[in-house]
Amino acid sequence: MDNTVVYVRVCFLVIGDIDTRQQTFGAEVLIEARWSKRKDFEPRLVITNLDKNQKERIWFTEETDEETKETLITMHWRLKGIFYENMELKYFPRDIQDISVCISVEGHANGVELVEDSTKISSLSMCNFRDNQEWILFSHVEIESCPEHEESDVELGHCTGIVAKCRVLTSTNLRYFMMTSVLIMFAITLLPFTLFAFDPKWNTIRIMGTITLILAGTTYRNAVFHSLPLISYVTYMDLYFILSMVYLCSVCVVFAIISQYKEDLQRAKNIDSACFEALWVVVIFYHLFLAAVFFSKTNKFAYCSFRDYTMI
């Protein structure tokens, strides 16, 4: 027997708060499933990533296809709830997060095929995005088919389905985070070079100055932490702060090593000059590497921008 094709369309009516710590988001969606009328047939749709159902309403309508003269039944499912989403913001603040609704069919998948409705495009409401002060919402919705996994289908009790995705950019103001976080931390990493102005015999002052910079960097990191998304893993922004602290600690160790040659002032000055040049090379290549990695993660941003443009 041929599979009954069920055409699915998803509209994001409201997208509420995005909780990166709990990995959930609130939303109100309208799911429309359309199929040819058959006796005693009704797909039992389920949302597999629904964490908490707050309110729902289901109703059915019938219409006749003008070309095939078939009777089509459309199920309208309006749902408000909390949805689970795997938050992946490792490249923050230049990262894009999927906001998805996963739809499947309860029971056995035999005879049912969920596909995207090509006659009615899935959409979202840009004006009803409540978290727009922290995130930028792209204006398109994509429908993707879930890959088949026979073992998981049997265990979970539902079939392979489809996923409706909209996307948000993690930072509403990239320049703000670059100016308040990266640029100031970059200035702190450069300040140790000013300590080389002191003669090597004054290494005590150098070490005290470096320790002060370490404390200043740690304090500043804790201060800006509250303005960043709360997530439970290390992002590229966190990695930059951590490596900067490692660099400052290394400078402090270098000054301590140079102080061992205070009796031989000429040798201490030679080692001092070599360390000064080596640290410049480390800082330059370290920042060039991070910048290259950071801006290489813009492919997904360009793709989403292109999708928005083609949907106009």
Side-chain angles (χ1 to χ4, degrees):
M1 183 178 65
D2 295 336
N3 291 342
T4 300
V5 178
V6 178
Y7 299 95
V8 180
R9 170 179 180 248
V10 179
C11 299
F12 290 86
L13 304 178
V14 179
I15 300 178
D17 294 333
I18 301 174
D19 191 338
T20 54
R21 179 71 73 180
Q22 299 295 328
Q23 300 198 86
T24 58
F25 69 94
E28 184 174 353
V29 298
L30 175 63
I31 302 171
E32 293 182 347
R34 178 169 54 88
W35 64 90
S36 299
K37 185 176 182 180
R38 288 173 50 188
K39 184 178 180 181
D40 299 328
F41 174 79
E42 178 183 329
R44 293 179 294 173
L45 300 183
V46 294
I47 300 178
T48 58
N49 67 326
L50 180 62
D51 185 52
K52 182 180 180 181
N53 186 356
Q54 297 177 335
K55 184 174 63 175
E56 68 175 340
R57 179 191 172 201
I58 300 177
W59 69 98
F60 296 86
T61 58
E62 289 189 14
E63 59 181 343
T64 302
D65 191 302
E66 296 181 356
E67 295 182 358
T68 62
K69 304 303 179 181
E70 288 184 324
T71 302
L72 303 177
I73 298 179
T74 302
M75 182 186 76
H76 308 269
W77 184 10
R78 184 161 183 166
L79 174 70
K80 180 180 180 181
I82 305 297
F83 300 84
Y84 172 79
E85 182 64 51
N86 185 25
M87 300 292 174
E88 299 178 352
L89 306 178
K90 294 182 179 180
Y91 308 123
F92 178 86
R94 193 66 170 180
D95 204 349
I96 292 176
Q97 172 62 47
D98 291 337
I99 301 297
S100 60
V101 174
C102 304
I103 305 171
S104 185
V105 177
E106 187 177 8
H108 296 288
N110 297 334
V112 179
E113 181 181 0
L114 299 181
V115 298
E116 179 182 4
D117 193 338
S118 58
T119 60
K120 296 181 180 180
I121 300 176
S122 299
S123 61
L124 57 85
S125 177
M126 298 288 292
C127 59
N128 289 329
F129 181 48
R130 298 176 181 174
D131 220 357
N132 56 4
Q133 292 186 347
E134 297 184 11
W135 308 78
I136 296 176
L137 180 65
F138 290 96
S139 59
H140 67 277
V141 177
E142 292 186 1
I143 302 292
E144 298 179 358
S145 298
C146 297
E148 291 191 13
H149 298 288
E150 295 182 359
E151 294 182 0
S152 61
D153 291 345
V154 173
E155 293 176 0
L156 296 175
H158 44 69
C159 75
T160 301
I162 60 175
V163 179
K165 294 182 179 180
C166 64
R167 294 184 169 95
V168 292
L169 183 64
T170 56
S171 173
T172 57
N173 194 339
L174 177 62
R175 184 180 300 176
Y176 167 77
F177 285 106
M178 295 298 292
M179 294 292 290
T180 59
S181 300
V182 177
L183 186 59
I184 294 180
M185 200 63 204
F186 175 71
I188 292 176
T189 59
L190 292 182
L191 285 177
F193 290 104
T194 63
L195 299 175
F196 282 92
F198 290 96
D199 196 87
K201 63 182 179 181
W202 297 98
N203 263 324
T204 303
I205 297 178
R206 290 179 169 187
I207 295 174
M208 291 176 60
T210 308
I211 294 175
T212 302
L213 291 175
I214 294 174
L215 296 176
T218 304
T219 303
Y220 182 74
R221 171 65 181 90
N222 293 334
V224 301
F225 177 79
H226 301 288
S227 64
L228 303 178
L230 298 176
I231 47 184
S232 58
Y233 50 83
V234 178
T235 66
Y236 272 30
M237 183 77 77
D238 297 323
L239 183 62
Y240 178 70
F241 278 104
I242 293 172
L243 292 179
S244 297
M245 291 296 103
V246 172
Y247 160 76
L248 291 175
C249 292
S250 300
V251 172
C252 191
V253 172
V254 168
F255 288 150
I257 294 174
I258 295 175
S259 65
Q260 301 301 314
Y261 300 93
K262 60 183 178 180
E263 300 298 334
D264 190 349
L265 188 59
Q266 186 58 42
R267 187 177 182 184
K269 288 183 177 180
N270 293 336
I271 297 176
D272 196 59
S273 299
C275 291
F276 180 80
E277 296 173 0
L279 287 175
W280 267 116
V281 173
V282 170
V283 168
I284 291 173
F285 279 94
Y286 155 62
H287 283 92
L288 287 177
F289 172 75
L290 288 182
V293 173
F294 179 76
F295 288 105
S296 67
K297 303 303 178 181
T298 59
N299 293 337
K300 196 173 182 180
F301 174 80
Y303 168 77
C304 292
S305 300
F306 175 75
R307 288 284 297 173
D308 277 1
Y309 176 78
T310 56
M311 293 294 292
I312 297 178

